[in-house]
Amino acid sequence: MTSTSAASSALTPYGWDETWAEAFAPYAADGLLPGRVVRVDRGQCDIVTAGGTVRADTEFVVPRDPMKVVCTGDWVAVDPDGDPRYVRAYLPRRTAFVRSTSSKRSEGQILAANVDHAVVAVSLAVELDLGRVERFLALAWESGAQPVVVLTKADLVPDPVTLAHLVEDVETSAPGVPVLTVSALHGDGLDVLVALVGSGTSVLLGQSGAGKSTLANALVGADVMDVRAARDVDGKGRHTTTTRNLLALPSGGVLIDTPGLRGVGLFDAETGVGQVFSEIEDLAEDCRFHDCAHESEPGCAVRSAVENGELPARRLESYRKLIRENQWIVAKTDARVRAELRRDWKRKGAEGRAAMEAKRGRWK
């Protein structure tokens, strides 16, 4: 068996295919080995290769740009031997799950690469935060992956009518997205999720306490992730997962488990926001003005839908919030967008002052 066919055989369970092999050919000619990153930790990473899992340094891959660092899920070219070993390059990513960093510089932070399914875990142990669900989904759609929402800890909602209402609320906030209910504790609903993530790569996302590690253990069929109880007062966990880990699933496919995300900032996710709020985008086509902000403009089809009960007011407010946030992030690095925002703010300010003057005139 050639080294190339050996690599294909050993790496197929991790998602290796002919397209990846073609992309890797130039590196194979240089004597480098292919592998997939299963964990990154402080400038080093664990890589599964045809010969087993190796540890390598990532310093040769642009370390200062958060979008270009090696991350879990990457396919990389690694030294065949040596101490230390180095990652020499990573293959172009098919998809990438990115959020904005907490820094004041408008930067993106890549959380996982080459993902086919984005599994958003939402705990039923606490009150649903539909706005947060929409935020996760916007990032998931923007990544290029297919989102799925998994309502965890369904055993804590024993009344089927109540559970059906909760599912309906989430479905309204997640058009085009499968919504599953799962109890990892009792195994309820796992068969559907196992079938869904049984091919390709899935990333598991959600807040601390959402039950991600318990879900990962259930999917892997072993206690590979540490699990701690969530706080009773607010259902929040304590970051039992501190790194992103790629795990091979016995049913096929691989799963990337991630730490609980407290902050989920958008990063240039206009397309993803539009996908989450597709019904608003459809309604907007009937607005009188093509650049309608759905606030005070006459002939706004979106506000009319809110007034007649066709569109929940909460959805419109959430849409406005995410659009504004995304515009702000983009404006930090795009001078044209900054100029457009300034003009828009000036226009709205002038309209507000004119409205106040008109009111004063009526009062006199």
Side-chain angles (χ1 to χ4, degrees):
M1 180 181 292
T2 66
S3 59
T4 302
S5 59
S8 297
S9 176
L11 295 176
T12 295
Y14 290 90
W16 185 258
D17 56 29
E18 292 183 3
T19 303
W20 288 122
E22 290 176 5
F24 190 79
Y27 302 104
D30 290 336
L32 299 175
L33 297 179
R36 193 164 197 192
V37 178
V38 297
R39 174 188 168 101
V40 177
D41 184 23
R42 298 179 182 178
Q44 292 189 312
C45 60
D46 293 334
I47 304 167
V48 61
T49 70
T53 301
V54 302
R55 187 77 166 166
D57 199 300
T58 65
E59 73 174 56
F60 276 91
V61 182
V62 191
R64 294 183 181 180
D65 186 341
M67 293 287 287
K68 294 182 179 179
V69 298
V70 173
C71 77
T72 303
D74 271 327
W75 287 100
V76 298
V78 66
D79 288 333
D81 49 37
D83 186 19
R85 300 172 84 159
Y86 293 99
V87 172
R88 298 296 174 171
Y90 63 80
L91 300 186
R93 294 159 176 159
R94 293 177 181 175
T95 62
F97 192 93
V98 181
R99 68 169 177 178
S100 64
T101 63
S102 57
S103 70
K104 294 183 179 180
R105 304 186 306 272
S106 181
E107 294 178 336
Q109 177 190 19
I110 183 165
L111 300 180
N114 303 311
V115 171
D116 301 293
H117 306 284
V119 181
V120 180
V122 181
S123 174
L124 291 176
V126 294
E127 184 177 355
L128 284 177
D129 184 344
L130 297 177
R132 182 169 288 273
V133 173
E134 290 160 346
R135 180 180 291 274
F136 270 111
L137 291 176
L139 293 179
W141 280 121
E142 191 69 31
S143 75
Q146 166 65 50
V148 56
V149 177
V150 176
L151 303 180
T152 65
K153 307 181 184 181
D155 52 287
L156 299 180
V157 187
D159 179 30
V161 175
T162 301
L163 184 59
H165 284 312
L166 293 172
V167 171
E168 184 179 358
D169 286 343
V170 176
E171 287 176 338
T172 300
S173 302
V177 177
V179 179
L180 311 178
T181 58
V182 168
S183 170
L185 183 63
H186 301 297
D188 299 334
L190 277 176
D191 53 342
V192 179
L193 183 58
V194 166
L196 190 146
V197 302
S199 62
T201 299
S202 302
V203 61
L204 194 51
L205 306 159
Q207 286 184 287
S208 298
K212 297 189 306 302
S213 294
T214 301
L215 196 57
N217 288 340
L219 291 172
V220 175
D223 291 337
V224 293
M225 305 303 298
D226 184 27
V227 177
R228 299 178 189 172
R231 298 191 304 237
D232 291 335
V233 64
D234 56 11
K236 293 182 179 179
R238 291 171 285 178
H239 289 301
T240 57
T241 302
T242 56
T243 58
R244 288 171 278 281
N245 303 277
L246 188 147
L247 311 166
L249 301 177
S251 59
V254 293
L255 179 72
I256 299 175
D257 190 21
T258 64
L261 301 174
R262 289 197 179 97
V264 193
L266 300 185
F267 183 78
D268 199 5
E270 181 179 356
T271 300
V273 173
Q275 190 80 32
V276 175
F277 298 92
S278 56
E279 80 277 34
I280 295 179
E281 300 266 300
D282 291 340
L283 286 167
E285 293 181 3
D286 294 326
C287 289
R288 181 183 300 178
F289 304 107
H290 75 277
D291 59 347
C292 183
H294 320 308
E295 293 179 350
S296 58
E297 299 88 343
C300 176
V302 174
R303 286 198 348 271
S304 294
V306 173
E307 291 166 2
N308 64 30
E310 180 184 348
L311 176 70
R314 188 206 65 79
R315 285 279 286 171
L316 177 56
E317 182 54 37
S318 183
Y319 173 74
R320 288 170 174 163
K321 178 180 180 180
L322 294 185
I323 286 291
R324 285 194 300 266
E325 178 182 328
N326 192 68
Q327 287 178 333
W328 177 250
I329 289 293
V330 173
K332 286 184 177 181
T333 55
D334 191 318
R336 180 184 58 81
V337 174
R338 281 200 302 275
E340 289 178 354
L341 285 178
R342 288 194 188 100
R343 285 195 296 270
D344 189 48
W345 291 335
K346 289 179 180 178
R347 177 182 62 79
K348 290 181 178 178
E351 289 175 351
R353 288 191 296 273
M356 287 300 299
E357 290 297 328
K359 286 183 180 180
R360 291 194 186 102
R362 288 196 298 268
W363 293 338
K364 290 179 180 179

